[in-house]
């Protein structure tokens, strides 16, 4: 990349002094290029603004753009100087060249100072009726700028009503810009009011819009609910051809709109997804990460009604090595929903590959997904728990922590050989380095303490670190407190003294949450120890 040249300000001032409206285009552009270079280098051009502004009326369009840009930036610093340019800008808004009219209008409305608001308002009112579509496009966008600066004045002048009328402009981009501006202006009120007339007009306008405009309008139409089933089918017929549009983004937007319109027609949702699935699945292998993420989000909305259709595409959801973490997590989170008797083993094998991923978050997502599979596919329980055991035996801190966080949420009592797995976990206490892993370990210890002979002594290892704030956070202290209470009910004779020490220490804690929890447990157990067991266990 070439470096920006350093400009001599003295030489630049001299060059600007020689420029006039009659100067040739090459000379004018050369000097203004130096002006831009100086501005980019952070040089102060304040004293040169009057000399630059005299070129506002120069016939060269590129020169005008540079001058307009500089004027916009410095107007708020020197409103008095910029005021000298307003007459020229106002005249330029009536120039015979629509490009000049549009640029001048944009500049007037960008002068961020109260002195220029009235000029901008007058120029926009005139430009909304301009014969040039380009000028009208700029005018509609400028309405948003004016409203941002003075909402009350714009409301009194009927700006919103004018924009509603502009929606019916023959130029499709002007119409979309009007919808966008209304969405911005009426954001606090829920956006554009999408009634039957507006929605049907926009639907019929879709064909003339650019793909980007079609997507935007479809996203707005999601807020409209048809009044009858016949009207719903009329809208679906209009949208039908966009389901297989050559732009996947348009197809996705249409699918989302179909999803909204058919929420009370579940028998249609699967058919709709089948029609658009071919184009969508081609995107899943395209390598466009952002678009793939959006596709998966849309597919998730259809999982309940059309899960069988999507399950057939499970291989397209598998992760690729170079995909970013956020996309891998999204795919992994979706895979358990696609598990069937036929593909369960393949999906589990795929998930196993990610459980030891170098990214902690991807590893956690994969192990969590395996835990979810054990709930939706009973036949996979034995396979998953064998894998969990191997993960624990890897002795990698973050993998152990992730595995415990998942096992914490699974009821393992009905699993074969779960006692061996829990006993294995208790031997890994020294590997735990993060609070999430320690809390998960304590939760498992408290829940299955009756099945672990040495569980009270395992808990003592945590109690030795109890007063060391740099090691044990208040969150872990809360888990230790709860586990000590549970352990008392599992092994009352061994743990009575230990529980008393924990309650006393926690009740004296400077952390209010820990203190209050200890007082609550003590009060419950002192009132009725058996009733407390029903509550706490």
């Amino acid at each position: 990349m070439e470096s920006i040249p350093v400009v001599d300000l003295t030489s630049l001032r001299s060059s600007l002094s020689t420029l006039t409206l009659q100067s040739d285009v090459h000379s004018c552009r050369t000097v203004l290029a130096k002006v831009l270079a100086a501005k980019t280098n952070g040089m102060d051009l304040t004293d040169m603004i009057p000399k630059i502004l005299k070129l506002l009326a120069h016939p060269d369009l590129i020169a005008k753009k540079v001058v307009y840009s500089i004027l916009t930036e410095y107007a708020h610093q020197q409103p008095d100087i910029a005021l000298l340019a307003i007459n020229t800008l106002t005249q330029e808004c009536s120039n015979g060249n629509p490009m000049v009219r549009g640029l001048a209008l944009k500049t007037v409305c960008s002068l961020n100072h109260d002195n220029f608001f009235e000029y901008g308002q007058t120029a926009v009112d005139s430009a909304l009726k301009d014969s040039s579509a380009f000028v009208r496009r700029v005018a509609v966008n400028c309405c948003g700028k004016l409203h941002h600066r003075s909402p009350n004045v714009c409301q009194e002048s009927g700006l919103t009503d004018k924009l509603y009328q502009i929606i019916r402009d023959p130029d499709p981009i002007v119409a979309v810009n009007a919808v966008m501006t209304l969405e911005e202006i009426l954001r606090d009120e829920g956006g554009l009011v999408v009634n039957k007339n507006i929605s049907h007009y926009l639907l019929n306008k879709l064909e003339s819009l650019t793909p980007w405009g079609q997507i935007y309008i479809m996203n707005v139409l999601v807020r409209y609910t048809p009044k009858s089933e016949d009207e719903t089918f009329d809208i679906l017929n209009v949208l039908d051809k966009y389901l297989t549009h050559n732009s996947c983004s348009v197809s996705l937007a249409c699918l989302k709109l179909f999803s909204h319109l058919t929420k009370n027609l579940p028998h249609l949702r699967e058919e709709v997804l089948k029609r658009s699935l071919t184009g969508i699945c081609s995107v899943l292998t395209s390598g466009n990460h952002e678009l793939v993420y959006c596709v998966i989000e849309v597919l998730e909305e259809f999982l309940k009604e059309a899960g069988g259709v999507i399950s057939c595409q499970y291989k397209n959801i598998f992760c690729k090595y170079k995909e970013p973490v956020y996309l891998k997590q999204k795919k992994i989170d979706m895979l358990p929903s696609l598990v069937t008797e036929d593909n369960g083993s393949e999906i589990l094998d795929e998930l196993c590959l990610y459980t030891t991923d170098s990214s902690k978050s991807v590893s956690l997502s994969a192990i969590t997904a395996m835990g979810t599979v054990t709930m939706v596919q009973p036949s996979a329980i034995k396979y998953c728990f064998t894998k969990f055991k191997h993960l624990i035996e890897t002795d990698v801190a973050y993998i152990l922590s992730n595995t415990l966080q998942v096992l914490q949420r699974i009821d393992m009592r009905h699993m074969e050989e779960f006692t061996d797995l829990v006993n294995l976990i208790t031997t890994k206490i020294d590997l735990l380095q993060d609070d999430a892993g320690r809390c998960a370990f304590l939760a498992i210890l408290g829940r299955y303490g009756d099945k672990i002979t040495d569980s009270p002594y395992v808990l003592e290892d945590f109690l030795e670190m109890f007063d060391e704030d740099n090691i044990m956070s208040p969150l872990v202290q809360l888990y230790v407190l709860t586990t000590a209470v549970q352990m008392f009910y599992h092994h009352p004779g061994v743990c009575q003294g230990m529980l008393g020490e924990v309650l006393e220490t926690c009740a004296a804690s400077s952390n209010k949450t820990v203190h209050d929890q200890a007082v609550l447990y003590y009060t419950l157990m002192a009132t009725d120890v058996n009733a407390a067991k029903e509550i706490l266990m």
Side-chain angles (χ1 to χ4, degrees):
M1 183 181 293
E2 295 182 4
S3 60
I4 300 170
V6 179
V7 180
D8 180 14
L9 291 182
T10 304
S11 174
L12 183 58
R13 290 189 185 93
S14 176
S15 300
L16 282 171
S17 300
T18 62
L19 286 180
T20 65
L21 295 178
Q22 288 73 39
S23 298
D24 64 277
V25 172
H26 176 73
S27 300
C28 188
R29 291 184 180 181
T30 300
V31 174
L32 289 176
K34 293 180 181 179
V35 171
L36 286 178
K39 185 165 75 75
T40 305
N41 282 321
M43 297 180 179
D44 185 10
L45 305 179
T46 304
D47 61 318
M48 302 182 205
I49 296 300
K51 296 177 182 179
I52 296 172
L53 292 185
K54 70 182 181 181
L55 298 174
L56 273 172
H58 197 281
D60 182 48
L61 190 59
I62 293 178
K64 285 181 180 294
K65 287 183 178 181
V66 175
V67 177
Y68 288 165
S69 171
I70 293 171
L71 174 61
T72 301
E73 183 171 337
Y74 283 89
H76 67 284
Q77 298 176 5
Q78 294 181 298
D80 294 338
I81 293 179
L83 195 60
L84 300 175
I86 200 67
N87 289 332
T88 303
L89 285 172
T90 304
Q91 292 173 7
E92 298 278 72
C93 288
S94 303
N95 192 287
N97 185 340
M99 287 295 294
V100 174
R101 295 202 300 275
L103 289 170
L105 174 64
K106 183 179 179 181
T107 304
V108 171
C109 294
S110 299
L111 299 177
N112 193 16
H113 196 279
D114 294 340
N115 292 346
F116 308 115
F117 180 81
E118 187 177 342
Y119 294 101
Q121 192 176 19
T122 303
V124 165
D125 286 340
S126 175
L128 288 173
K129 306 169 189 174
D130 198 280
S131 59
S132 168
F134 171 74
V135 178
R136 296 198 303 276
R137 294 173 190 176
V138 175
V140 171
N141 289 337
C142 288
C143 290
K145 293 183 179 182
L146 295 178
H147 184 271
H148 178 71
R149 285 163 57 188
S150 185
N152 294 332
V153 174
C154 290
Q155 194 67 27
E156 293 170 2
S157 66
L159 183 64
T160 303
D161 294 334
K162 293 174 185 176
L163 287 171
Y164 270 110
Q165 294 172 7
I166 291 291
I167 291 177
R168 297 188 177 275
D169 192 278
D171 181 73
I173 296 180
V174 173
V176 174
N177 285 0
V179 173
M180 287 181 59
T181 305
L182 282 168
E183 285 281 282
E184 177 66 24
I185 290 175
L186 302 174
R187 180 172 50 187
D188 294 339
E189 302 171 24
L192 171 74
V193 178
V194 188
N195 56 30
K196 182 176 180 179
N197 290 336
I198 289 178
S199 62
H200 283 260
Y201 174 79
L202 292 175
L203 281 167
N204 293 325
K205 193 90 172 176
L206 280 175
E207 193 166 4
S208 63
L209 301 179
T210 62
W212 182 89
Q214 291 170 345
I215 295 166
Y216 190 88
I217 294 301
M218 287 180 188
N219 288 334
V220 171
L221 290 174
V222 169
R223 296 207 301 270
Y224 177 68
T225 302
K227 308 303 179 188
S228 67
E229 191 169 295
D230 288 339
E231 184 187 357
T232 300
F233 280 105
D234 288 340
I235 295 174
L236 294 179
N237 287 335
V238 174
L239 292 171
D240 187 66
K241 59 185 176 184
Y242 298 103
L243 277 175
T244 54
H245 196 277
N246 55 12
S247 167
C248 177
S249 299
V250 173
S251 180
L252 279 176
C254 185
L255 185 59
K256 290 178 69 175
L257 183 52
F258 257 85
S259 175
H260 164 71
L261 295 170
T262 58
K263 61 185 176 184
N264 296 323
L265 303 168
H267 59 287
L268 289 178
R269 293 171 71 86
E270 185 170 346
E271 182 182 341
V272 168
L273 187 60
K274 282 181 178 178
R275 285 205 58 202
S276 57
L277 199 59
T278 303
I280 288 175
C281 289
S282 65
V283 174
L284 292 175
T285 57
S286 67
N288 187 328
H289 301 148
E290 291 78 11
L291 191 55
V292 171
Y293 187 93
C294 294
V295 168
I296 292 176
E297 279 202 324
V298 174
L299 291 177
E300 285 176 336
E301 297 179 14
F302 283 81
L303 278 174
K304 288 185 180 179
E305 295 86 356
V309 178
I310 301 172
S311 294
C312 298
Q313 303 293 332
Y314 68 95
K315 288 186 179 180
N316 289 321
I317 309 295
F318 287 172
C319 299
K320 296 179 177 58
Y321 178 73
K322 292 186 178 181
E323 286 179 337
V325 169
Y326 72 87
L327 182 55
K328 284 184 178 180
Q329 287 183 268
K330 191 70 174 177
K331 286 185 171 184
I332 291 170
D333 292 344
M334 185 180 183
L335 283 174
S337 305
L338 307 181
V339 171
T340 63
E341 289 288 347
D342 297 329
N343 64 22
S345 59
E346 284 188 75
I347 290 179
L348 280 173
D349 288 341
E350 184 71 12
L351 289 174
C352 285
L353 297 176
Y354 315 139
T355 55
T356 55
D357 194 274
S358 57
S359 168
K360 296 180 182 180
S361 55
V362 171
S363 171
L364 178 59
S365 294
I367 299 172
T368 302
M370 290 184 65
T372 304
V373 172
T374 63
M375 301 176 192
V376 299
Q377 194 74 311
S379 60
I381 291 176
K382 186 173 181 180
Y383 176 95
C384 291
F385 271 80
T386 301
K387 183 62 181 177
F388 290 148
K389 184 178 179 181
H390 291 159
L391 292 172
I392 293 170
E393 291 174 340
T394 60
D395 289 346
V396 178
Y398 75 89
I399 294 178
L400 173 63
S401 174
N402 291 343
T403 305
L404 295 186
Q405 290 174 58
V406 174
L407 290 176
Q408 174 192 358
R409 300 192 288 269
I410 299 176
D411 184 4
M412 296 187 286
R413 287 184 183 275
H414 62 284
M415 312 295 181
E416 293 182 10
E417 302 178 353
F418 98 90
T419 305
D420 293 339
L421 181 62
V422 174
N423 280 310
L424 175 63
I425 291 171
T426 60
T427 64
K428 306 296 181 178
I429 185 173
D430 294 334
L431 292 174
L432 296 173
Q433 299 176 357
D434 63 317
D435 285 354
R438 289 170 178 164
C439 292
F441 176 87
L442 288 165
I444 293 172
L445 188 66
R447 182 183 301 171
Y448 306 111
D450 57 327
K451 302 295 182 181
I452 306 172
T453 306
D454 297 332
S455 55
Y457 308 107
V458 174
L459 181 59
E460 282 184 350
D461 291 339
F462 274 90
L463 298 182
E464 291 175 2
M465 303 183 294
F466 201 91
D467 294 324
E468 300 179 32
D469 294 335
N470 61 322
I471 295 178
M472 185 169 290
S473 67
L475 178 63
V476 179
Q477 290 180 17
L478 284 171
Y479 271 80
V480 169
L481 173 61
T482 301
T483 303
V485 172
Q486 294 172 328
M487 203 63 69
F488 167 75
Y489 286 109
H490 290 317
H491 306 280
V494 178
C495 296
Q496 183 174 0
M498 182 196 306
L499 176 60
E501 292 179 12
V502 172
L503 287 171
E504 184 178 355
T505 304
C506 289
S509 173
S510 58
N511 184 280
K512 190 174 186 304
T513 305
V514 175
H515 166 80
D516 291 349
Q517 193 81 348
V519 172
L520 173 64
Y521 286 165
Y522 176 80
T523 304
L524 283 173
M525 298 177 76
T527 303
D528 188 331
V529 71
N530 292 321
K533 180 178 180 180
E534 295 296 321
I535 297 171
L536 301 177
M537 298 296 287

